[in-house]
Amino acid sequence: MIAILDFGSQYTHLITRRVRELGVKAEIFEHDINDKTLKEKAVEGIILSGGPASVFEKSAPSLNKNILELGIPILGVCYGHQLLAYLLDGKLKSSKSREYGEEVIEIKKRGVLFEGLNKKEQVWFSHGITVYRLPKDFEVLATTKNAPIAAFGNLDKNIFGVQFHPEVAHTPKGTKILKNFLFKICHAKKTWKIEDFKKKLIKDLKSEIGDKKVMIGVSGGVDSTVAAKLLYKAIKGNLYCVFIDTGLLRKNEGDEVSDLFRKLGFKNFQKVPAEDKFLSALKGIVDPEEKRKIFTKVYFQVFIDTAKMLEKKHRFEFLAQGTIYPDRVESGKTSKTSSLIKSHHNLSVPQELGLQIIEPLKDFYKDEVRELGKSLGISEQIIGRHPFPGPGLAIRILGEITKDRIKILQEADAIFIEELRNFGYYDKVWQAFAALLPVKSVGVMGDERTYDFIVALRAVTSRDAMTADWANLPNELLKKVSSRIINQVKGINRVVYDISQKPPATIEYE
């Protein structure tokens, strides 16, 4: 297998995903793992992740230097690249001009790592520190205008460093670089198949749960639906699905979810109306993190109340959740070096629930979850649904949440999604939605002055939500959506289209 050493990057698991995608087993370890453990695990290659720290910081995460002497091929990415240079007595300095986003590298020596690449290639950078003097016996493999050593390597020891991120979609030939490292340098074997995971997950769930009962919160989204299907395969009638209608869902979604689970054959399904509880708790709240924390608190209180009601007939011992890896990444749950970006409601489990937590999808990316869902026989219509955040429209209404604002956003969002389908673009984008901005602007309708809200449309392309680019939608589509929203949704007089990438922006607004 390939060992990914985690230095706290958001992309650590994305590296792992790319390696798995190429058919090779990969596991993540803390950066300070000892060399003996890696030897015992028969590791074929090591990848050092990026990270938010600077190698110059006193508390910066480091590496057991004995690992460099194991004779196992090593690839350092971003922070990993800098750390290799630092540990091997190269020279580094803070960059005068920070490179962040898309850049072009000029390949000076292809070797095996860059085999099959052009002289110049687009890559994705995110750094403020530059290697300016090579470690002994290393050579420059690539440069940029601001980074004289954008990639380096020792071809005899098979130790390489790249300042950019080959794992992200915005490095078009990144997969080729990883493939070269895996198969031509590490000589790794293809042993990783998602089909094997389905069988193992069901077997493990059966073993862990036995004949006990499990409650799972479902939303109709891909993650919770696949998690529920996995559990149903394992424990059948001992699974109880609870759908909490928060009042913060998309237009008509409450009824649609109920119909979905009936069609999927789930016998134990309960819809819990809770709109008043959520809106009351969120009244006057504008801070994004506070919104998420309040949502979490109310969400699990409703679960507790529902569990008490159900336990009059049943005794639950487990609470299952559809948590996937990007949720954990952005919540800083992946390692002791990860940074918090935003809280997720399904990661903050209050102790008073008294239930053991099961998260069958916690190590998977969205595309893996979809593949798993297909292997479980879930329809393409469900598998292809765009992601929807747990707190729902609470984090798509910037500022205070009110019933009127929810209604306005539901109508605008429904129009956007409808026209995406009409134009054949719904399945071409990763995620699309409308967000209500907390500002008003002057407009003119029927010769009368208006002073109404602005709605932002957001549509992105992505592979796994770790990075994303704005979707280049046709002008005619945007024109149709804008015209319909302004004319049909009372309270909106201006529509804008968001052209921000992730990073530096996130896909959602809050």
Side-chain angles (χ1 to χ4, degrees):
M1 71 170 178
I2 301 298
I4 316 297
L5 304 197
D6 184 15
F7 290 90
S9 173
Q10 294 178 57
Y11 305 139
T12 299
H13 276 253
L14 185 50
I15 298 172
T16 310
R17 177 64 191 100
R18 295 291 174 255
V19 174
R20 291 180 185 178
E21 192 175 60
L22 292 168
V24 178
K25 181 180 179 181
E27 288 187 19
I28 294 173
F29 300 94
E30 292 289 354
H31 62 85
D32 54 2
I33 188 172
N34 64 61
D35 54 309
K36 291 180 181 178
T37 301
L38 291 178
K39 284 187 71 173
E40 289 169 359
K41 291 183 176 293
V43 170
E44 297 171 291
I46 299 169
I47 299 178
L48 312 181
S49 83
S54 162
V55 293
F56 298 133
E57 294 173 8
K58 189 175 181 180
S59 59
S62 192
L63 177 75
N64 183 331
K65 287 188 71 172
N66 292 335
I67 290 173
L68 302 177
E69 304 301 325
L70 290 175
I72 299 173
I74 298 174
L75 174 63
V77 173
C78 196
Y79 180 86
H81 160 91
Q82 297 162 15
L83 183 62
L84 283 175
Y86 185 77
L87 294 175
L88 293 166
D89 297 322
K91 300 297 181 183
L92 302 90
K93 63 181 178 181
S94 295
S95 305
K96 291 182 180 179
S97 178
R98 185 181 182 189
E99 290 181 304
Y100 192 93
E102 294 177 359
E103 296 284 349
V104 175
I105 59 167
E106 182 175 349
I107 296 174
K108 298 298 184 181
K109 183 170 184 176
R110 286 188 178 87
V112 180
L113 188 65
F114 292 150
E115 186 177 308
L117 273 65
N118 297 320
K119 181 76 172 175
K120 293 186 177 181
E121 292 285 359
Q122 176 185 308
V123 298
W124 182 270
F125 274 97
S126 177
H127 74 104
I129 293 177
T130 299
V131 179
Y132 70 91
R133 186 179 300 170
L134 286 168
K136 185 180 179 182
D137 299 326
F138 280 73
E139 56 187 313
V140 177
L141 302 182
T143 66
T144 71
K145 59 184 180 181
N146 294 317
I149 306 175
F152 63 73
N154 182 316
L155 279 60
D156 294 325
K157 291 186 176 182
N158 282 329
I159 298 178
F160 304 89
V162 293
Q163 181 61 75
F164 55 89
H165 289 274
E167 71 274 21
V168 303
H170 300 303
T171 299
K173 296 287 182 66
T175 299
K176 175 64 175 171
I177 295 169
L178 291 174
K179 188 182 292 187
N180 287 341
F181 179 70
L182 296 177
F183 302 116
K184 296 185 178 181
I185 296 172
C186 300
H187 305 292
K189 306 295 187 299
K190 290 189 176 184
T191 58
W192 189 265
K193 295 180 181 178
I194 202 70
E195 178 67 21
D196 296 336
F197 266 111
K198 180 185 77 171
K199 297 171 185 175
K200 185 178 186 303
L201 284 167
I202 293 172
K203 181 181 178 181
D204 290 347
L205 288 169
K206 283 181 179 179
S207 176
E208 182 178 1
I209 297 168
D211 60 357
K212 298 179 179 68
K213 290 181 171 60
V214 180
M215 180 191 295
I216 183 171
V218 295
S219 65
V222 177
D223 306 333
S224 62
T225 303
V226 172
K229 189 70 172 181
L230 267 175
L231 285 158
Y232 187 75
K233 288 276 189 181
I235 63 173
K236 305 297 181 184
N238 281 336
L239 177 67
Y240 290 74
C241 299
V242 175
F243 168 56
I244 297 177
D245 189 345
T246 65
L248 296 161
L249 302 172
R250 289 167 287 202
K251 186 178 180 180
N252 301 326
E253 193 162 21
D255 293 336
E256 290 172 1
V257 173
S258 299
D259 291 342
L260 165 64
F261 276 82
R262 277 195 291 269
K263 289 177 182 177
L264 285 173
F266 287 84
K267 295 180 180 179
N268 302 319
F269 176 86
Q270 180 149 348
K271 180 180 178 181
V272 183
E275 176 183 5
D276 291 343
K277 292 180 181 178
F278 281 91
L279 295 190
S280 175
L282 289 166
K283 185 177 180 179
I285 305 300
V286 298
D287 179 76
E289 270 301 292
E290 195 173 353
K291 283 183 184 179
R292 287 178 176 271
K293 289 174 181 175
I294 290 172
F295 184 94
T296 297
K297 183 177 179 180
V298 176
Y299 187 86
F300 279 104
Q301 187 58 56
V302 173
F303 251 108
I304 292 168
D305 295 342
T306 303
K308 287 179 179 177
M309 180 189 68
L310 291 174
E311 280 188 335
K312 292 177 181 178
K313 292 184 178 181
H314 315 285
R315 175 177 171 77
F316 295 99
E317 294 198 26
F318 294 94
L319 172 66
Q321 298 182 150
T323 311
I324 65 172
Y325 181 69
D327 299 338
R328 297 196 297 128
V329 159
E330 293 183 334
S331 299
K333 299 290 183 181
T334 55
S335 82
K336 54 194 175 190
T337 51
S338 295
S339 298
L340 171 68
I341 295 176
K342 55 190 178 185
S343 300
H344 288 262
H345 78 284
N346 53 353
L347 288 167
S348 308
V349 184
Q351 293 181 352
E352 60 264 30
L353 275 174
L355 301 176
Q356 296 181 59
I357 303 302
I358 295 179
E359 298 174 315
L361 306 177
K362 67 181 183 299
D363 292 321
F364 294 95
Y365 290 89
K366 183 73 74 173
D367 55 337
E368 289 182 309
V369 172
R370 285 182 169 137
E371 190 178 343
L372 187 59
K374 289 177 185 177
S375 73
L376 289 166
I378 300 174
S379 72
E380 186 65 42
Q381 182 180 2
I382 299 168
I383 294 301
R385 287 191 72 186
H386 289 182
F388 188 65
L393 302 185
I395 58 173
R396 291 180 179 175
I397 296 173
L398 282 68
E400 185 177 3
I401 300 163
T402 66
K403 273 193 173 185
D404 287 343
R405 292 182 181 186
I406 291 171
K407 178 67 174 175
I408 289 171
L409 184 55
Q410 284 176 331
E411 295 296 332
D413 183 78
I415 289 171
F416 187 26
I417 298 303
E418 181 183 343
E419 292 301 340
L420 279 172
R421 293 187 186 279
N422 290 342
F423 278 75
Y425 270 81
Y426 183 85
D427 293 326
K428 293 181 182 179
V429 300
W430 170 269
Q431 188 174 0
F433 58 90
L436 192 67
L437 304 184
V439 291
K440 290 186 175 183
S441 67
V442 173
V444 178
M445 290 186 182
D447 295 326
E448 292 185 1
R449 179 185 184 274
T450 62
Y451 190 59
D452 289 326
F453 287 109
I454 300 173
V455 71
L457 306 179
R458 178 91 159 126
V460 298
T461 57
S462 181
R463 293 176 68 182
D464 41 43
M466 296 305 298
T467 61
D469 202 354
W470 58 277
N472 192 5
L473 299 178
N475 288 343
E476 286 303 310
L477 167 56
L478 293 174
K479 182 178 179 181
K480 180 74 176 291
V481 173
S482 175
S483 176
R484 283 193 60 192
I485 289 175
I486 291 173
N487 283 284
Q488 296 176 24
V489 183
K490 186 176 181 180
I492 296 174
N493 68 1
R494 195 177 298 266
V495 176
V496 298
Y497 187 56
D498 186 336
I499 57 171
S500 309
Q501 293 177 325
K502 176 186 179 178
T506 54
I507 295 176
E508 296 288 347
Y509 280 81
E510 294 187 339

